[in-house]
Amino acid sequence: MNILDRYHAMDYGPAPEARNEADAWLAARDFGKALFIDGAWKAASGGKTFETSEPSSGKLLAKVSDASAADIEAAVAAATKALPKWSASSGYQRAKVLYAIGRAMQRHQRLFAVLETIDNGKPIRESRDIDVPLAIRHFIHHAGWAQALDKDFPGHKGVGVVGQIIPWNFPLLMLAWKIAPALAAGCTVVLKPAEFTPLTAILFAEICERAGVPKGVVNIVQGGPEAGAAIVNHPGIQKIAFTGSSEVGKIIRKATAGSGKKLSLELGGKSAFIVFEDADLDSAVEGLVDGIWFNQGQVCCAGSRLLVQEGIAEALIAKVKTRMSRLRVGSPLDKNTDIGPLVDITQLDRVKGLVAEGAKQGAICWQPDAALPSSGYYHLPTLATGVSPANILAQEEVFGPVLATMTFRNTEEAIELANNTRYGLAASVWSENVNLALHVAPQLKAGVVWVNGTNMFDAACGFGGYRESGFGREGGREGMFEYLAARLPLGPVIKAATVSAQPVEQADGLAIDRTAKLFIGGKQVRPDGNYSLAVATAKGKLAGEVGLGSRKDIRDAVSSARACKAWPEATAYNRSQVLYYLAENLSGRTDEFAARLVQLTGVTAKAAREEVEQSIERLFLYAGLADKFEGRVHQPPARAVTLALHEPVGVIGIVAPDASPLLGLISLIAPALAMGNPVVAVPSERYPLLATDLYQVIEYSDVPAGAINIVTGRSGELAGVLARHDDVDGLWVFADAETCAKAEAESIGNLKRVWSGNGRSLDWASGEAAGDAFLRRAIEVKNVWVPYGD
C-alpha cells in the first residue's frame, strides 16, 4: 500500500473531550437549591423540581429547583432592593464588575463549554470555539459601554428591574446577550433559563458570586411556564426581554399590553440563503453547512431556505449532497462531530413530523446514507428539493437540520422569494459581485444580512429581526438602547373621548359650506360609510364637519401607503427638501392656522401663533435631520465590516392627541416621514379640522401620493383597526390608556412595533419631544456583514 492508498484509507478516530471536571461539578452541587436569589442559593418555595437530561443518551443529569410565583416575587423584591445603589454606582464601578465576570468566565472556559455540550447536545467544537468565547466577549465589551453611558447616551438612564427569559438553543450565549447590556445600563436582573438547559446558568451564578456582583443585582431562577408567566406579569418589572418562538412572543406582547413595560422580542426565523450564479460554489457549500447544520439547525437565524439561481442549481445541489454525506453525526463530546443530537425527544418528534408533512406536500427529502447512534435524539441532515413556496418546509420554522431548496431565475425573483415569509430575522447573499450583493441586501426584509458568509455575530454589532421575528436589537449601540429609557416630557393624562349626543349649535354667518373629506393616495375622498362627524368651536358652535372614517377607509389608506414606493425609495436629501417645502408652505399660512387654533381650542392668539411657529420649526428640524440621522460602520474582531444601515420601518399608523393638535400631529408625522416611512394618520378626534386644513399644504409641497394619508374619525376605533391591520408595520398611539392598551394587545397579528403613550400625552412644545428619540422609533437597523481579504 503506497502513501496515497493509506491517505484514502484513513478514517477519523475518536477524539473525545474529557468530561470528568464537568461530572465532578455536577456531583458536587445540590440542584434542589439552584435558585440564585439575592446572592444566596435557595430551594423552590414549593419544593418542586424538574429534570434535565443529556440529549446524547437521555440519561438524567440533575433534578433542578422549579421556581414558583412566590420565588419570582422574592427575586423581583431582591432586584428592586438592589436597584437604587447599583443604578447610582459609577460607570467605572459597573465596568469593573462586568470585566470581572468576563475574566472569571475565561478562567472556567472549558468547564462552561463541556457543560453546555452535555446539557444541550451541541458539538463541543461549537460550544468551545464559538458560544463561550462570544459570551465572554459580550461582558468585556459591555464593560466599556458602562463607562461610556453618560457620554454616548445623554438624557437616558437604566430602565429599572428587567425580566429576561432565554431559550435552550444557546443557553450561555443568550444569557450573556441579555445580562451584559442590562448591567452596563445600571439595571438589575431576574433571568429564567430554559428548562431543557439550566446548567450553565447555574455555573454563571457561581461566577457572579466570585466576581463581586452585589447581592440582588443578578437573580437566576430556574423554572417552567409558571415562572415565566410570573416574570412577564409582575408589576415590579419595567422591561421584558424574551428570546424564543413567535407564538410565545405574541402571548407576551398581549400580556404586557397597557402595562408600560418596555419589551424586546427576538423570535423565530426562516432565513434565506441566496446563491447567485457567479458565486464561489465551494465556499457557498461550506457556508451552507454553517448556515443550516450549525447546532443541528436549532438556530433562529438558520439558513433553512436555499434559493439558488437556475443555471447552477444542479451543480450546487450535487456539491451539497456530497458534503452532506461527509458530515459526521455522533457524540457531541467528540471533537470530530459535526452534528449532535437534538435537545429533546419532543423536538425530534416535531422535526420528523414536519419533514413527513413536507414530503406529503410534494418535497423530495434526501438524507445521506449514515448510521445514527443507538441512543439519543439524533436526526440525519435532510435536503428537501422540489419545494414549492407554500410548502410547510418553506414557511414554518423547523428548528432542525432540514434544508428546503428552491430556484430563481433573476435578481428580482430571488428577492421576492426571500421575502415570501412572515419572518425577517436574517439572510445570506452569495456572489463574487459585491455590487450585486449590496444591491440585494437592503431589499431583503431581514435584520441581519451576511454577504458571502453566515452566522457571524459580535457584541459590537446589533442582532434582531423584522416582522414576526420580533423587535428590538441585541448587541452594539442599538442593543444598549433596549435597556435605557429616555426622559420624555410627560404631559397630562388623556381622557377617553365621549361621543356627545347633543347637537352642535349652528355657527353664525352665510359662508359657503365646505366639506372636509379624507386624504388618501394624494386625493381628497369621501368616507366609505358616508357619515360625518361634527366639529365644535371652543364656544360650542359648529366649526364644520369631517368624514367619519371606518375600517374600509383605513384599508384604502394603508393600501395607498404600501403602494407609495417613491417616498421610501427617495434619497434622504430629496425627503429633506420636501419637508423643508412643507415647512415653507405652512409658514405662508401661519395666520390662517393660528386663527383655526383659536377658533377650535380657545387658546389666545399669541399661544396659537406660537404653536404654528413651533410646528414649522419642527418640520424644519426633521428636514435637516433627514440626511443626517445615519447608520454606522462597525469593525468586529474579524475580517469584516458591519454596515448598520438605517431603514424605514414601513407603513406607520399614527394616532395623534388632542393636546397641541397641530404641533402634536406634526411632531409625529415629521420624523416618520424624514426616515422614509409612508404614514396613515388619525388626527385629533376633537380638532380634526387642523389636519384637513393641511391637505392643500401637502398637495402643493411635492409630497408623493400615498406618503401622507389622513383619516378623520373616532380615534379609539381607528387605532384598533390600525392595530389589527397586518400590513401596518408600526403604530404610534397617543390616546387614553384603554385605547393604548388595546392597540398593543391587538397588534400581535404581525407583531408590529407599537409606541404608546400609555394614556399620557407629551409636552409637545418641549425640545425633548423632538429629535433622535423619535427618529429611532421610525427606523429599523439592518446589520450587513461584508467580509474582506482573500
Side-chain angles (χ1 to χ4, degrees):
M1 181 180 289
N2 60 37
I3 190 67
L4 189 59
D5 293 332
R6 290 180 183 277
Y7 175 78
H8 287 301
M10 279 196 298
D11 195 8
Y12 288 97
E17 173 73 34
R19 59 178 292 166
N20 53 303
E21 291 292 334
D23 286 334
W25 183 86
L26 287 165
R29 298 298 174 283
D30 180 3
F31 292 101
K33 294 182 179 179
L35 306 184
F36 186 68
I37 299 174
D38 202 18
W41 295 97
K42 300 179 181 181
S45 58
K48 290 174 62 178
T49 61
F50 63 88
E51 296 182 350
T52 183
S53 301
E54 192 169 354
S56 62
S57 65
K59 292 180 180 177
L60 177 68
L61 288 171
K63 293 183 178 180
V64 182
S65 304
D66 189 353
S68 66
D71 298 311
I72 301 303
E73 183 68 41
V76 174
T80 303
K81 181 181 177 182
L83 180 64
K85 187 174 181 180
W86 178 249
S87 61
S89 63
S90 71
Y92 173 53
Q93 289 172 315
R94 295 198 299 275
K96 286 195 295 182
V97 171
L98 283 158
Y99 181 73
I101 292 172
R103 294 292 283 166
M105 291 176 70
Q106 283 180 327
R107 291 193 293 273
H108 299 276
Q109 191 164 345
R110 202 69 165 203
L111 178 57
F112 270 113
V114 176
L115 270 180
E116 194 82 324
T117 288
I118 290 173
D119 203 19
N120 171 273
K122 65 176 60 187
I124 185 65
R125 287 187 293 115
E126 295 177 8
S127 50
R128 180 196 66 200
D129 299 340
I130 300 173
D131 291 26
V132 177
L134 190 51
I136 294 166
R137 157 88 171 137
H138 270 265
F139 282 100
I140 294 177
H141 174 81
H142 283 90
W145 276 129
Q147 278 190 274
L149 210 62
D150 292 339
K151 179 178 73 70
D152 282 78
F153 302 93
H156 289 74
K157 62 178 181 179
V159 71
V161 177
V162 177
Q164 301 175 323
I165 302 171
I166 60 175
W168 46 260
N169 57 336
F170 290 91
L172 182 65
L173 187 54
M174 294 296 101
L175 176 150
W177 280 19
K178 293 200 166 29
I179 289 182
L183 297 190
C187 302
T188 55
V189 168
V190 177
L191 179 137
K192 188 193 87 65
E195 289 172 276
F196 288 149
T197 52
L199 297 183
T200 48
I202 296 171
L203 176 58
F204 176 80
E206 294 180 0
I207 292 292
C208 289
E209 287 184 294
R210 299 171 192 171
V213 178
K215 292 181 178 180
V217 170
V218 174
N219 303 272
I220 295 180
V221 285
Q222 322 294 333
E226 181 186 355
I231 289 173
V232 168
N233 295 313
H234 199 291
I237 288 177
Q238 285 78 49
K239 173 186 168 63
I240 299 293
F242 172 77
T243 297
S245 71
S246 297
E247 291 72 21
V248 176
K250 290 180 179 182
I251 293 170
I252 292 173
R253 165 74 280 184
K254 192 169 186 177
T256 57
S259 67
K261 288 184 173 73
K262 197 168 184 178
L263 181 63
S264 56
L265 301 173
E266 197 266 281
L267 308 175
K270 196 67 185 174
S271 301
F273 190 101
I274 307 170
V275 183
F276 287 95
E277 59 189 1
D278 66 341
D280 179 336
L281 297 192
D282 291 326
S283 295
V285 169
E286 291 308 309
L288 193 58
V289 170
D290 288 337
I292 182 58
W293 292 300
F294 174 59
N295 195 18
Q296 295 74 255
Q298 298 170 133
V299 184
C300 52
C301 55
S304 55
R305 291 185 299 144
L306 171 61
L307 308 181
V308 55
Q309 200 153 13
E310 281 185 355
I312 58 166
E314 186 176 346
L316 182 65
I317 295 300
K319 287 178 177 288
V320 171
K321 287 183 176 180
T322 299
R323 186 67 176 87
M324 288 173 67
S325 67
R326 293 172 182 165
L327 293 172
R328 293 177 60 82
V329 181
S331 168
L333 283 172
D334 189 327
K335 300 181 186 72
N336 293 320
T337 292
D338 297 304
I339 297 179
L342 299 182
V343 74
D344 185 74
I345 186 64
T346 56
Q347 183 65 15
L348 177 61
D349 290 342
R350 181 180 183 275
V351 172
K352 286 181 176 178
L354 286 169
V355 170
E357 181 60 28
K360 186 178 177 181
Q361 294 179 9
I364 301 169
C365 296
W366 182 88
Q367 295 175 333
D369 184 14
L372 291 177
S374 57
S375 62
Y377 314 126
Y378 291 89
H379 192 286
L380 284 172
T382 303
L383 174 67
T385 55
V387 177
S388 71
N391 190 292
I392 194 169
L393 296 179
Q395 291 297 322
E396 293 299 322
E397 186 178 34
V398 177
F399 227 60
V402 180
L403 176 64
T405 305
M406 291 170 278
T407 61
F408 63 88
R409 289 163 291 186
N410 54 40
T411 302
E412 292 72 24
E413 188 177 3
I415 294 167
E416 186 175 353
L417 281 171
N419 290 336
N420 181 34
T421 173
R422 67 182 189 274
Y423 298 109
L425 189 53
S428 295
V429 180
W430 291 78
S431 171
E432 290 298 282
N433 183 348
V434 71
N435 291 330
L436 173 62
L438 293 179
H439 167 70
V440 170
Q443 298 182 70
L444 300 177
K445 296 297 182 184
V448 180
V449 179
W450 297 292
V451 173
N452 293 331
T454 191
N455 280 340
M456 292 184 279
F457 310 100
D458 187 65
C461 307
F463 180 86
Y466 293 7
R467 297 175 168 176
E468 290 189 36
S469 289
F471 45 79
R473 294 293 182 264
E474 299 194 87
R477 181 182 178 84
E478 53 265 43
M480 281 301 302
F481 277 115
E482 299 300 326
Y483 291 92
L484 296 169
R487 301 185 184 99
L488 290 177
L490 291 177
V493 172
I494 300 174
K495 296 180 180 179
T498 56
V499 180
S500 174
Q502 299 298 320
V504 178
E505 184 180 344
Q506 291 295 318
D508 299 325
L510 298 173
I512 296 175
D513 184 75
R514 177 184 167 199
T515 303
K517 304 183 180 70
L518 312 182
F519 190 71
I520 297 175
K523 299 177 182 178
Q524 297 185 44
V525 298
R526 289 186 176 86
D528 178 71
N530 240 357
Y531 284 97
S532 61
L533 181 68
V535 180
T537 68
K539 296 180 179 179
K541 295 185 179 294
L542 182 67
E545 293 181 295
V546 296
L548 186 62
S550 65
R551 179 184 60 82
K552 172 66 163 54
D553 300 309
I554 291 291
R555 188 191 72 183
D556 291 345
V558 172
S559 296
S560 173
R562 181 62 67 193
C564 177
K565 304 297 183 185
W567 190 250
E569 292 176 2
T571 66
Y573 176 54
N574 284 343
R575 295 198 300 270
S576 172
Q577 288 180 296
V578 171
L579 288 172
Y580 275 130
Y581 201 18
L582 269 171
E584 176 186 334
N585 290 328
L586 180 57
S587 177
R589 296 174 62 178
T590 299
D591 291 342
E592 176 188 337
F593 277 87
R596 179 70 92 177
L597 275 166
V598 171
Q599 177 198 29
L600 295 177
T601 66
V603 297
T604 65
K606 180 182 178 182
R609 190 171 187 87
E610 285 178 353
E611 182 170 340
V612 178
E613 289 175 348
Q614 286 172 330
S615 300
I616 297 165
E617 181 182 348
R618 202 135 290 176
L619 281 168
F620 239 64
L621 170 71
Y622 288 115
L625 292 175
D627 60 354
K628 297 173 186 65
F629 189 72
E630 299 175 305
R632 292 171 174 250
V633 177
H634 302 305
Q635 294 178 281
R639 293 193 306 168
V641 291
T642 307
L643 311 177
L645 306 178
H646 285 182
E647 296 187 340
V649 168
V651 175
I652 293 183
I654 291 175
V655 180
D658 290 337
S660 303
L662 178 63
L663 180 59
L665 179 65
I666 294 293
S667 296
L668 293 168
I669 287 179
L673 291 173
M675 294 296 99
N677 300 281
V679 166
V680 176
V682 177
S684 160
E685 179 177 335
R686 189 174 177 186
Y687 310 117
L689 289 173
L690 284 158
T692 62
D693 288 349
L694 281 172
Y695 293 172
Q696 287 183 334
V697 177
I698 295 169
E699 286 172 330
Y700 56 70
S701 296
D702 294 340
V703 179
I708 304 176
N709 303 273
I710 297 175
V711 180
T712 55
R714 305 289 183 198
S715 295
E717 294 175 12
L718 298 180
V721 176
L722 285 166
R724 293 187 294 273
H725 199 302
D726 286 350
D727 210 25
V728 174
D729 302 297
L731 179 59
W732 301 353
V733 184
F734 283 85
D736 61 278
E738 183 180 358
T739 296
C740 291
K742 284 184 177 179
E744 291 177 350
E746 293 176 347
S747 70
I748 63 173
N750 67 338
L751 279 174
K752 59 178 61 67
R753 288 102 180 97
V754 179
W755 176 25
S756 159
N758 295 308
R760 297 285 295 273
S761 184
L762 295 181
D763 177 4
W764 299 103
S766 168
E768 294 174 313
D772 288 7
F774 285 66
L775 293 171
R776 274 194 300 275
R777 299 181 185 277
I779 60 163
E780 296 276 19
V781 180
K782 171 180 286 180
N783 280 272
V784 179
W785 288 70
V786 184
Y788 57 80
D790 295 331

